[in-house]
Amino acid sequence: MEKISNDCLQKFKAVNDVKDILSGKWKVMIIASLSVFGEKRYMELQRIIDGIGTKMLSKELQELEINGLIKRTVMDTKPITVKYELTAYGLTLTPIIDEMASWGIQHRERVIKEMSAK
């Protein structure tokens, strides 16, 4: 059996770290939404991200904030308004999200083309 190099192990660990931070159905969509639309209030995010419930959105936003990817700002309004935006660190994920979207478009076109050929 071939020994796995330290470089390869480091890469696997790094990919696993990213997977842990972005795991779940909604985190990537939240980051993508804030990347495309910029700063958004809680209810705006819930409307943009089709299918996410209020508890799940709160949980995912909290985890993203803990990991330093988004900033939560409580506005001094009545009623209280909370807005969310990507941090500078969170913005470093934008090229990755863009590549995922590009790959997703190509994949969808490929699948449709293959299905049409049958």
Side-chain angles (χ1 to χ4, degrees):
M1 184 172 175
E2 187 178 334
K3 186 175 183 326
I4 300 173
S5 72
N6 281 337
D7 285 348
C8 191
L9 286 174
Q10 288 299 102
K11 190 176 266 190
F12 288 160
K13 285 180 183 176
V15 169
N16 201 43
D17 290 344
V18 172
K19 182 183 64 77
D20 288 345
I21 291 169
L22 300 180
S23 67
K25 184 176 178 180
W26 303 107
K27 286 189 183 101
V28 171
M29 288 304 299
I30 292 168
I31 293 166
S33 297
L34 292 172
S35 175
V36 170
F37 299 111
E39 175 184 288
K40 287 290 167 203
R41 294 187 317 264
Y42 182 88
M43 291 306 291
E44 291 174 317
L45 276 174
Q46 192 172 11
R47 278 188 224 106
I48 291 168
I49 304 168
D50 189 37
I52 193 168
T54 55
K55 286 182 183 178
M56 181 57 71
L57 179 57
S58 292
K59 177 185 161 294
E60 299 289 66
L61 287 167
Q62 186 177 36
E63 289 178 17
L64 289 168
E65 184 181 11
I66 288 168
N67 282 297
L69 300 174
I70 64 167
K71 178 183 172 191
R72 176 181 188 266
T73 305
V74 179
M75 307 300 290
D76 189 19
T77 58
K78 292 200 193 287
I80 291 175
T81 305
V82 180
K83 64 180 183 178
Y84 297 89
E85 61 188 312
L86 291 176
T87 61
Y89 186 52
L91 284 168
T92 64
L93 290 168
T94 300
I96 297 166
I97 299 293
D98 291 345
E99 282 298 314
M100 289 174 68
S102 181
W103 186 90
I105 290 166
Q106 292 172 13
H107 175 70
R108 182 177 297 266
E109 289 170 354
R110 179 177 177 230
V111 169
I112 291 169
K113 187 176 179 181
E114 287 178 2
M115 300 277 291
S116 299
K118 290 183 180 180

